[in-house]
Amino acid sequence: MRLTHWTDYSLRVLMYCAACEGREHPPTVNEIAEAHGISRSHLTKIVMILASFGWLATTRGRGGGLRLLKPAGELTLGEVVRQTETDMTLVECFDRKTNTCRLDGYCRLKDVLYKATQGFFDVLDGITLADLLAPVATGKAQAGQMPHLIPIQLASLKMPRTAPVPATKAAPARRPSAARKPGKAQAD
C-alpha cells in the first residue's frame, strides 16, 4: 500500500500549520510550497480541499495565510488519510462491482487484507497531528534530511552575520598571450 502524493502533501500542509501555531504571521501557500519543493498551484488545490473539510482557515491578502481550525491534538492521522485517499481497494475482491476473481468466497486473502487495513487505521486513529510534531532524536534523522525547513526550528535559528566584503577595485582582465598553433613554427 502506498499513500498518494495528495495525502502526503495534505499531511505536510497540516503539520506545517500546526508547527506555526502562535507565530505572528501565519504560513502561506508560497512558504509551504517553497519549504517542501511542491508546486504552488498544486498546493493551492490541496489547501482549498483541506479548508472544505473544516481543517484550515485561509485568509487572502497581506497578512493572510493558513491556520488550523481544529486543534492539532484533536485531528487524527486516520481522519486525514480516510478523507484524502480516494481508493483503499487493496485487491480486486474488495470492490463488489468490479470483482471478477473466481476464488471469491473460497479464499481468505480478502479477510486477511481487510483486517490488516483495519489495523493500519487503528494505529493512525491513535496518532494526532500534535503527536507528529514531537521532537525527533537527532541520531534518528536520515542522511539528507533538512530539519531547518521545520518552521519551529527555522524561527529559532540565527544565521551568522558575516562582515561585508570590502569593495576593491578589480584589476583589469588580462588577455592571454597568443598561443602557437601546433605544427607551425613561430618566426623571430
Side-chain angles (χ1 to χ4, degrees):
M1 177 183 345
R2 182 182 179 128
L3 297 178
T4 61
H5 282 102
W6 188 275
T7 299
D8 179 19
Y9 296 164
S10 295
L11 289 168
R12 292 185 201 197
V13 168
L14 293 169
M15 289 171 62
Y16 200 98
C17 290
C20 291
E21 284 292 315
R23 206 170 82 170
E24 185 179 348
H25 300 289
T28 63
V29 171
N30 286 340
E31 177 185 337
I32 298 170
E34 186 177 316
H36 291 288
I38 301 170
S39 158
R40 182 191 158 307
S41 62
H42 188 60
L43 207 58
T44 300
K45 293 174 191 172
I46 290 170
V47 164
M48 300 286 52
I49 296 295
L50 296 177
S52 75
F53 292 149
W55 297 335
L56 283 181
T58 61
T59 307
R60 291 180 176 231
R62 187 173 211 166
L66 311 171
R67 65 178 177 82
L68 290 178
L69 284 177
K70 191 171 183 177
E74 293 179 17
L75 185 59
T76 68
L77 192 52
E79 183 180 358
V80 175
V81 171
R82 279 186 186 90
Q83 289 293 324
T84 57
E85 281 298 311
T86 57
D87 185 10
M88 290 303 292
T89 307
L90 295 183
V91 288
E92 178 184 341
C93 57
F94 273 32
D95 186 354
R96 290 182 180 173
K97 293 177 188 173
T98 60
N99 183 17
T100 60
C101 179
R102 295 183 184 203
L103 295 174
D104 193 30
Y106 299 98
C107 173
R108 293 188 179 154
L109 177 64
K110 181 178 182 178
D111 291 333
V112 170
L113 292 176
Y114 178 78
K115 287 178 185 175
T117 303
Q118 284 307 117
F120 174 74
F121 280 110
D122 288 345
V123 170
L124 297 182
D125 287 338
I127 305 293
T128 67
L129 203 54
D131 296 332
L132 297 176
L133 296 173
V136 177
T138 54
K140 293 183 180 181
Q142 294 178 341
Q145 282 185 326
M146 298 171 64
H148 62 278
L149 294 180
I150 299 172
I152 294 172
Q153 293 174 342
L154 182 60
S156 66
L157 291 178
K158 300 276 187 198
M159 295 302 290
R161 292 188 177 203
T162 56
V165 178
T168 58
K169 190 173 181 179
R174 296 173 123 185
R175 287 190 169 169
S177 59
R180 290 191 299 166
K181 291 186 180 178
K184 290 198 175 183
Q186 210 173 17
D188 288 331

